[in-house]
Amino acid sequence: MNAIGTEPYIILSMVLFLMGALGVLIRRNAILLFMSVELMLNSANLALVAFAREWGQVDGHVFVFFVMTVAAAEVAIGLALIVNIFRERQSINIDDLQQMRG
Amino acid sequence: MFESPTIAEFVTQSNLASTLPGTLLVAWTLLLVLVDLFAGDEREHWTPLGACLGLGVSFVANLFVYAPAADQQTALYGMFIADAFTGFLNIVILVATLLAVLMSRDYLMRAGIHRGEYYILTLLSSAGAMFMVAANDLIVVFVALELLSIPLYILAAFRSIKNDGGELALKSEESGMKYFILGAFSSAFLVFGAALVYGASGTTNIPQILEVAPAVVDAASSATFYLVVGTALLIVGLGFKVAVVPFHMWTPDVYEGAPTPVTALMSVTAKIGGFAALLRILVTALSVLLLVDGGVAAWQTTISIIAALTLVLGNFVAISQRNLKRMLAYSSIAHAGYIMVALAAAGTAGSADSATQGALVYILAYMFTNLGAFAVVMTIERVDGGGGNIDDITGLARSRPLLAMAMTIFMLSLTGIPLTAGFVGKFMVFAAAVQAGLVGLAVIGVLTSVVSAFYYMRVVVNMYLRDSSGELLPALETVYVRWAINIALAGTLIFGIFYPLASNLVSMVSIA
């Protein structure tokens, strides 16, 4: 039944996580930044589900539900902030956000 | 795994009574939403009053649940732990929130923002911190961290609602946005780290991780790799939250742009939550991780390096800051470094308890002193957010002698001069570090404290010795922020002068 072991899933999730982390560091558009953060969170979800299958428990699945719920809450706040900033400066490039330096 | 429990089993296993300080605060906050709705134009009086009462209710509940003789107990099927550590930090969080609410009352009035949700978000964030210090499970750590952080993202950007087009509005939004991006980024690290630790150990429960960790380490299989990488990612994720080098870049911008009471609150509660989780995860769950000869945890070297970098960078960069809030931001990075020293010391077998107690006393002292310093900065800040530069306090001793005296005591306490709370905290942390064999780290700590005296004393010199241009600073504060300063001052002096008091309070604490 377990034709594929856990490890390929974990490797895939690590690759996705790194892609997300690089996206946050490289991308300058706020929306794309959020998508990268979501990719990181969902790569963690993939790892959790894979581990839950390996251990035959529900704990991992429960964790995934919490992560999904919290991610939704975070996105709501983030989009509200973006809309606010876009109204002020007609731009969501985070490099424009540099009133404070030092 | 879960057979349907009888009612009696459910009551004992869930043990809801011991979660009361946090749950009561959340329930009260939800009621406060209704109060705010019906208070109408009177909300600027009723909502802060209700918030203070809610903090009082939670405080009383905390005293009952954590009576000095009470044993450690778990709740909610082991996901929640109620011990002396939780009880002590709950009190620190509640006092910090009370001071922040008092400051906010004046700040909102001055800024012309009459919004009740400000207080509601503040209380929710503090409830998140209270759940975080009680977390006994990685899932709870994550959810509590988000309950702590998400309201703070909104609060950091709060000033933008009323101002349209002004410079300040953008600063506050910029602050909220930066905090949000870095916060979400660090949460992702935390979740991925938790996932790997779960994969290695098969449980998210912190005491159970402790039970299986030695076997995982001995196995030297892929599970060992997951455990090590997972621990590293957890340290990164929580390192962002507590703002230690090299994860500190967001701190100065966020602290400068956010409304001052929010900055004061986040510089205390977010750090308490992060350090509580770090202590529980590293000391309780992973104290056995890769033990080398001599009983030192493998993560001790990493934490020591982070602590040393944080101490050096935080203190040296603070010297060049002209803006007081930015200076206090770097100072808060430096103080996170001192707490990191205690955390590193907790990695030596046998000194976990004394190091944890040192960290708690340090947090208590830092809470009073830092909130007091931010309250003083708030009183001299202009309505448009300007006036918070180091030159703006020149001659404060002549125009407002009592305020200048309070600020002097806060600066002395931040430096760690005897007879202030800051000294007691630093003393206990350095003593724990020496006891744990980290003499080099303690020396770095003492030397950087000397460096820190330079920028803290510059504030005092500006207030007392430099002559102002003759124009006296206007008295902006009202009665509430004065109360906040008084309470913070009393805490700083009482715990400094009666120095055994703080160490007696934490003498019951043990988390290993």
Side-chain angles (χ1 to χ4, degrees):
Chain A
M1 189 178 140
N2 283 354
I4 305 178
T6 309
E7 253 138 60
Y9 290 106
I10 304 307
I11 292 168
L12 175 63
S13 74
M14 283 179 176
V15 170
L16 288 173
F17 185 82
L18 282 180
M19 282 168 61
L22 282 178
V24 173
L25 297 175
I26 293 168
R27 292 290 187 174
R28 298 284 65 134
N29 181 309
I31 301 267
L32 287 174
L33 269 172
F34 288 150
M35 288 171 62
S36 302
V37 169
E38 288 296 302
L39 188 62
M40 292 168 81
L41 286 172
N42 282 315
S43 73
N45 284 349
L46 176 65
L48 281 167
V49 173
F51 282 132
R53 189 187 72 155
E54 182 184 312
W55 290 100
Q57 295 169 342
V58 291
D59 298 31
H61 298 290
V62 173
F63 204 156
V64 169
F65 278 117
F66 278 112
V67 173
M68 281 161 52
T69 317
V70 165
E74 261 184 356
V75 166
I77 304 297
L79 289 180
L81 285 171
I82 291 184
V83 169
N84 240 340
I85 287 177
F86 184 77
R87 275 197 198 138
E88 299 268 356
R89 7 180 125 200
Q90 326 301 325
S91 155
I92 51 170
N93 187 326
I94 56 155
D95 281 342
D96 293 343
L97 291 176
Q98 39 179 276
Q99 273 199 349
M100 296 170 286
R101 282 274 151 191
Chain B
M1 181 172 155
F2 290 124
E3 294 145 32
S4 59
T6 65
I7 301 282
E9 264 172 20
F10 178 76
V11 170
T12 42
Q13 283 295 301
S14 60
N15 190 11
L16 285 175
S18 65
T19 67
L20 273 182
T23 45
L24 269 182
L25 188 61
V26 172
W28 187 283
T29 309
L30 297 181
L31 279 177
L32 200 57
V33 177
L34 283 180
V35 171
D36 183 62
L37 185 65
F38 291 110
D41 291 340
E42 297 287 297
R43 66 163 58 92
E44 56 175 313
H45 306 296
W46 289 110
T47 316
L49 183 69
C52 290
L53 285 177
L55 293 171
V57 167
S58 178
F59 188 86
V60 172
N62 194 54
L63 290 186
F64 276 108
V65 173
Y66 302 98
D71 290 333
Q72 161 184 334
Q73 45 186 331
T74 58
L76 303 176
Y77 295 86
M79 296 194 108
F80 189 99
I81 183 164
D83 56 8
F85 181 82
T86 313
F88 181 83
L89 285 181
N90 274 350
I91 290 178
V92 178
I93 292 166
L94 287 169
V95 175
T97 315
L98 176 71
L99 295 182
V101 166
L102 289 174
M103 286 163 70
S104 306
R105 174 73 175 74
D106 285 347
Y107 186 89
L108 294 191
M109 206 162 64
R110 212 190 285 169
I113 313 172
H114 300 299
R115 300 256 179 179
E117 58 265 35
Y118 180 98
Y119 300 102
I120 288 151
L121 291 168
T122 307
L123 291 201
L124 280 180
S125 169
S126 298
M130 288 169 71
F131 287 127
M132 200 162 170
V133 301
N136 202 25
D137 191 292
L138 293 177
I139 300 179
V140 182
V141 169
F142 170 66
V143 176
L145 178 70
E146 294 300 323
L147 180 58
L148 164 66
S149 304
I150 290 178
L152 283 179
Y153 304 148
I154 310 173
L155 287 171
F158 209 83
R159 189 69 198 266
S160 62
I161 291 175
K162 199 74 180 184
N163 277 37
D164 34 17
E167 187 172 315
L168 195 95
L170 292 174
K171 262 194 181 177
S172 182
E173 266 168 6
E174 184 179 328
S175 157
M177 189 73 185
K178 283 181 174 167
Y179 195 29
F180 171 74
I181 290 174
L182 266 299
F185 189 55
S186 67
S187 298
F189 277 94
L190 181 87
V191 175
F192 203 80
L196 290 180
V197 170
Y198 167 66
S201 58
T203 173
T204 53
N205 191 284
I206 288 175
Q208 282 172 23
I209 293 173
L210 173 66
E211 283 168 29
V212 285
V216 173
V217 172
D218 288 340
S221 61
S222 57
T224 319
F225 171 72
Y226 295 152
L227 191 66
V228 174
V229 176
T231 311
L233 289 176
L234 285 173
I235 294 176
V236 172
L238 291 167
F240 269 112
K241 291 290 171 189
V242 299
V244 289
V245 177
F247 316 114
H248 67 286
M249 304 79 69
W250 56 274
T251 319
D253 287 356
V254 171
Y255 281 19
E256 185 190 340
T260 311
V262 176
T263 310
L265 184 72
M266 75 168 84
S267 72
V268 173
T269 53
K271 275 187 210 287
I272 293 177
F275 274 112
L278 274 175
L279 281 163
R280 287 240 197 253
I281 292 171
L282 291 182
V283 180
T284 311
L286 298 166
S287 57
V288 288
L289 180 63
L290 305 181
L291 274 176
V292 291
D293 295 331
V296 178
W299 45 261
Q300 192 184 50
T301 318
T302 316
I303 298 288
S304 303
I305 292 170
I306 293 177
L309 284 175
T310 310
L311 288 173
V312 170
L313 188 132
N315 280 315
F316 276 95
V317 179
I319 293 176
S320 62
Q321 300 304 318
R322 309 300 300 171
N323 181 297
L324 280 174
K325 273 167 90 179
R326 253 185 126 73
M327 188 201 89
L328 285 173
Y330 279 105
S331 129
S332 87
I333 294 174
H335 286 283
Y338 293 111
I339 306 175
M340 271 319 231
V341 171
L343 181 61
T348 302
S351 51
D353 281 352
S354 63
T356 308
Q357 290 167 8
L360 291 192
V361 172
Y362 199 95
I363 286 172
L364 176 78
Y366 169 77
M367 182 273 285
F368 278 120
T369 314
N370 210 45
L371 277 167
F374 273 113
V376 174
V377 171
M378 201 191 107
T379 62
I380 58 171
E381 214 178 28
R382 283 200 311 271
V383 181
D384 63 3
N389 279 330
I390 192 144
D391 298 323
D392 293 315
I393 55 167
T394 305
L396 193 72
R398 198 157 59 88
S399 55
R400 318 260 289 281
L402 286 175
L403 195 66
M405 199 189 74
M407 188 63 165
T408 307
I409 289 167
F410 294 137
M411 291 295 125
L412 291 175
S413 178
L414 284 173
T415 321
I417 304 290
L419 293 184
T420 59
F423 172 76
V424 182
K426 276 197 175 136
F427 179 79
M428 286 188 70
V429 166
F430 294 151
V434 171
Q435 189 199 336
L438 298 170
V439 180
L441 202 55
V443 170
I444 295 179
V446 173
L447 288 181
T448 50
S449 297
V450 175
V451 172
S452 77
F454 180 75
Y455 58 88
Y456 291 132
M457 286 313 118
R458 191 168 58 193
V459 174
V460 178
V461 167
N462 267 3
M463 288 189 303
Y464 280 91
L465 299 182
R466 281 180 57 190
D467 205 19
S468 68
S469 49
E471 131 191 37
L472 293 180
L473 286 161
L476 276 175
E477 90 265 35
T478 54
V479 61
Y480 299 100
V481 74
R482 207 171 293 155
W483 269 104
I485 295 175
N486 288 345
I487 296 172
L489 193 61
T492 309
L493 287 177
I494 288 171
F495 287 106
I497 293 169
F498 306 103
Y499 56 90
L501 192 63
S503 50
N504 286 346
L505 275 179
V506 296
S507 60
M508 309 283 292
V509 173
S510 160
I511 61 166

